[in-house]
Amino acid sequence: MLDGAPIAYWIGFHVVVLVLIVVDLVVLGRGEESSQTRHNFLFVLFLLALATCFGIWIGHTQGRQTGLEFASGYLIELSLSIDNLFVFLLMFDSFGLSPAAQRKALLLGILGAIIMRGVFIFTGIALLERFGWIQYVFGALLVIAALRLLGGKKSGSTPGPAKWITKWTQRWSSNPRASFFVAVVAIELVDLVFAVDSVPAVLAVSHHPFVVYTSNICAILGLRALYFLLAGLLHRLHFLHFGLAAILGFVGAKMLLAKWVEVPVSISLGIIVVIVLAATAASLIYTRTSHA
């Protein structure tokens, strides 16, 4: 057993992750543009279905509560990962990287993110188990992150430290030899910044290491395919930042008030789903009416 889950679960999960990364590397990005779009779409759908089946399996083997915690963590991380794509799009535009170079940079970024998330998650859980007051620190960080998202949206710029990273990368955009390396470093820095928000957010709904870790990794696995699938649509998600701010604010308040107010994970999941759907629907309706 490793942190409550059999070692076989951890080994099996990482074997599947490795296979999916190989499929992403070998299959996606090859052929004509139309076939690439179709492959990206099918791969994203497959990963969503796989994550759903995995969550059902966790619920069956570990209990309904744990399954709902996985679903909540996965949805939180997936929503925040989409926000990462905005920053990646800005960086790649400033560098002028080709689609092939972007794929390589994103792949290396995802591999680094898997390692970084593991470190953050296990460190965060260890701190929560040893120092109970840490949850109030995490809760405060999430509320601050929510306010930062709202502030960045109002000013029309990339919110928070990610804006500084984007500006820093622009200094190297005129150097083709340095661009790819700096782009990879920038992706890792951006993921580090977002991990400070996303990991505590998932820890607000679960303290199970296996659940928190697998929900994070499942969400970021399809980030590369999702980027190329949504690159032309990201500018239409006008209200995504408001939705993400609401999610971070909600889970932050949940951590801060946990001693006095207990919110069942099923209610948390329902609130997160409603926020995501509302932000997406509002964005699509606004885009449609503004172009009518």
Side-chain angles (χ1 to χ4, degrees), residues 110-181:
I110 289 172
L111 293 175
I114 291 175
I115 298 172
M116 233 183 319
R117 295 302 171 90
V119 173
F120 266 70
I121 288 167
F122 286 103
T123 301
I125 291 175
L127 289 173
L128 285 170
E129 290 179 347
R130 184 161 185 174
F131 308 105
W133 52 267
I134 287 291
Q135 79 172 37
Y136 300 111
V137 176
F138 285 172
L141 287 174
L142 291 173
V143 172
I144 292 171
L147 295 175
R148 192 176 68 230
L149 271 175
L150 290 176
K153 187 61 178 176
K154 287 179 181 179
S155 64
S157 62
T158 304
K163 177 174 64 177
W164 307 333
I165 297 172
T166 303
K167 287 184 176 180
W168 173 72
T169 59
Q170 290 174 349
R171 299 180 182 179
W172 299 85
S173 59
S174 61
N175 189 337
R177 294 183 179 180
S179 288
F180 179 78
F181 172 75

Side-chain angles (χ1 to χ4, degrees), residues 72 90 114 151 155 177 189-190 197 225 239 242 252-253 257 269 290:
S72 299
L90 290 174
I114 291 175
S155 64
R177 294 183 179 180
L189 290 175
V190 168
D197 297 338
F239 300 105
F242 294 113
L257 301 175
L269 177 60
S290 63

Side-chain angles (χ1 to χ4, degrees), residues 94-108:
S94 67
F95 281 121
L97 293 180
S98 66
Q102 291 179 28
R103 287 188 178 278
K104 292 179 182 178
L106 285 171
L107 178 63
L108 293 174

Side-chain angles (χ1 to χ4, degrees), residues 34 78 87 93 120 153 162 222 237 240 277 279:
S34 58
L78 184 63
V87 182
D93 281 347
F120 266 70
K153 187 61 178 176
L237 301 177
L240 178 64
L277 292 178

